[in-house]
Amino acid sequence: MREKVLTQEELKKQVGIEAAKYVKNEMIVGLGTGSTANYMIDELGRKIKEEHLKIIGVTTSKATSKQAQALGIPLKAIDEVEYVDLTIDSADEISENFHGIKGGGGALLFEKIVASYSRQYIWIVDESKLVKQLGAFPLPVEVVKYGAKQLYRFFENKGYHPHFRTTNEGKKFITDSGNYIIDLHLEVIANPIILGEELDKFVGVVEHGLFLNMVNKVIVGTKKGLRTYSN
Ligand code: 5RP
């Protein structure tokens, strides 16, 4: 009998459920944002109800807070905990050397803050997110509103092909912190470290979506089964 080929959505669900196995009783858990992280959060909600798992969640977006609250996951703010035991999140692209682009869902700032205070950091993705080199996915840069057009022009002059992120209604996208996102259409990022350092220096840039040397483990859903890589 021929095996059923899993859809991308099914792969996301599979990695979400797999990642939840790393969450142990009494842990403080960073809860990522996006469609893949949603499956992991649903699974934690199930474990809390059916298996009496006891955890505290620290969320990375308003959307995740809403989902976690609806599932009855106890939450604390990042400033109310000393550290986070484990954060599980997804990514938009992961390169062979474990660098990543995040922020497709616009939550890069809180995601990076929570990840920075985490003892362990796991990414869960379907195989479409694995790339040789970062850059095909537009790199999100969160910027304050004041002077955003100046930054936009600056990026344009540098050949970074910037686009203000917009909503379906054509309005500028506003992050949970009240900022704009400028997506840089770079196609290839030859040196993510150098680009990250450059973006860190621009006045008005709050954060960028390059997550470099941060992740400890990557769980990948592939059509041939789950693969786990340790960094
Ligand atoms: C949100 C993110 C997401 O983790 C990333 O966009 C992946 O999302 P999805 O699981 O829906 O593919 O960085 O800011």
Side-chain angles (χ1 to χ4, degrees):
M1 211 171 64
R2 219 194 279 164
E3 268 181 51
K4 182 179 177 279
V5 177
L6 296 181
T7 62
Q8 186 184 30
E9 214 48 40
E10 286 167 332
L11 294 177
K12 287 182 178 191
K13 187 170 181 178
Q14 224 181 36
V15 287
I17 291 172
E18 177 67 17
K21 292 181 188 162
Y22 289 82
V23 176
K24 307 292 178 211
N25 248 342
E26 311 294 342
M27 272 188 169
I28 299 171
V29 186
L31 305 173
T33 296
S35 57
T36 318
N38 286 350
Y39 286 118
M40 176 272 300
I41 297 165
D42 278 345
E43 175 67 1
L44 292 180
R46 185 196 68 73
K47 285 185 173 216
I48 287 171
K49 274 201 186 70
E50 294 175 15
E51 298 171 13
H52 310 291
L53 176 72
K54 280 195 175 51
I55 57 163
I56 303 282
V58 175
T59 62
T60 54
S61 63
K62 287 182 185 165
T64 296
S65 297
K66 205 170 154 196
Q67 183 193 4
Q69 276 157 357
L71 289 164
I73 301 177
L75 298 178
K76 279 195 177 175
I78 184 69
D79 283 336
E80 291 176 319
V81 299
E82 245 178 83
Y83 56 84
V84 176
D85 288 294
L86 164 66
T87 289
I88 304 170
D89 201 349
S90 186
D92 298 299
E93 271 187 355
I94 305 176
S95 67
E96 284 174 345
N97 46 4
F98 296 97
H99 294 326
I101 289 183
K102 285 186 50 55
L108 61 146
L109 176 60
F110 291 0
E111 288 174 335
K112 207 181 257 189
I113 292 172
V114 173
S116 299
Y117 295 102
S118 298
R119 291 181 167 176
Q120 268 192 85
Y121 187 32
I122 298 179
W123 279 339
I124 47 173
V125 291
D126 68 86
E127 59 191 336
S128 70
K129 307 286 184 71
L130 300 186
V131 296
K132 258 197 157 357
Q133 249 184 326
L134 301 179
F137 192 90
L139 176 65
V141 181
E142 181 159 346
V143 304
V144 293
K145 287 180 178 171
Y146 188 83
K149 194 72 199 285
Q150 294 292 354
L151 261 177
Y152 178 94
R153 284 194 208 111
F154 188 72
F155 290 146
E156 207 165 36
N157 291 335
K158 291 208 75 140
Y160 288 172
H161 306 286
H163 290 267
F164 274 106
R165 191 176 296 185
T166 52
T167 62
N168 290 340
E169 293 77 42
K171 297 218 170 86
K172 282 202 181 75
F173 178 89
I174 309 283
T175 67
D176 284 353
S177 301
N179 299 312
Y180 291 145
I181 288 187
I182 299 178
D183 290 305
L184 305 180
H185 293 247
L186 300 164
E187 302 303 336
V188 172
I189 300 175
N191 192 327
I193 306 269
I194 289 181
L195 179 63
E197 283 171 358
E198 185 191 28
L199 292 172
D200 283 336
K201 287 188 191 130
F202 293 136
V203 178
V205 168
V206 179
E207 197 45 82
H208 55 78
L210 285 168
F211 282 52
L212 310 174
N213 298 318
M214 294 181 79
V215 78
N216 306 114
K217 205 180 276 300
V218 180
I219 305 174
V220 186
T222 81
K223 297 212 162 67
K224 292 185 180 143
L226 288 171
R227 304 260 188 279
T228 301
Y229 303 93
S230 293
N231 185 12

